[in-house]
Amino acid sequence: MHMAPISALQGDALMQAVAAALLAMSMASWFVIFWKTALLWRCARSVPRAIAAFWAAPSREQASAAARQADPEGPAAALAERCRQLEQPEGHAWQAQADRVRRELRDALDAGSRRLHAGHVLLASVGSTAPFVGLFGTVWGIYHALGTISALQQVGVDKIAGPVGDTLVMTAAGLAVAIPAVLAYNALGKRARALDAQLEGFALDLQHLLAGGGPGA
């Protein structure tokens, strides 16, 4: 006699936990979507401008400052600043200058790439797991609803369709959370990879510039 209320309470609590998990996943993914859209849109405009400003500068000393002005605190400016620092040979004698240049530019490029791709793992995780979280809520809700219906003396279609239909909403909610995350992951990833290609080309040009020497400021 006392097991039915306890079972109903447990089912409600689990369904609420699933709904709360889907809500948290949705909020996190939309935060990343808005943040990364603004970041990549800004970088898509500033990175080419910074690269063009670097090569248009009248001297190598002014090139780094021109890049920073065009792309303040951006990945292209970070590469230009690292190039300026590498113009003065440093380090131990066993470290060749060419190796130091390649290592420092690679580190700066990796840091910029990590910034461009930040949050993509979360979008991929939400897109791949949210449907299963919603499906789990549906399966548990149907199981809980059938257990409650079996305890009734009279069973009608209205008593079955209502509880079962409510649990199917969890599957729809899981898809509603996953689809925007997957679409954003693909779109933002494509834009980030395009910026990666521009930065890799810029880093390669900087490496050739430092390896070839040339006139200074």
Side-chain angles (χ1 to χ4, degrees), residues 41-64:
W41 178 81
R42 185 171 62 251
C43 288
R45 298 183 60 187
S46 62
V47 167
R49 187 166 59 239
I51 295 175
F54 181 90
W55 297 118
S59 67
R60 286 173 62 171
E61 183 179 40
Q62 298 174 2
S64 178

Side-chain angles (χ1 to χ4, degrees), residues 147-160:
T148 303
I149 292 171
S150 64
L152 299 177
Q153 297 296 330
Q154 296 180 350
V155 179
V157 176
D158 57 335
K159 292 183 173 59
I160 297 176

Side-chain angles (χ1 to χ4, degrees), residues 5 16 38 54 79 85 95 112 116 122 139 158-160:
Q16 291 174 4
F54 181 90
L79 282 171
Q85 297 172 357
Q95 296 180 357
L116 293 176
L122 185 143
V139 172
D158 57 335
K159 292 183 173 59
I160 297 176

Side-chain angles (χ1 to χ4, degrees), residues 1-13 140 143-153:
M1 295 297 293
H2 298 287
M3 293 300 295
I6 296 176
S7 177
L9 181 60
Q10 291 176 345
D12 291 342
W140 178 262
Y143 168 77
H144 178 67
L146 293 177
T148 303
I149 292 171
S150 64
L152 299 177
Q153 297 296 330

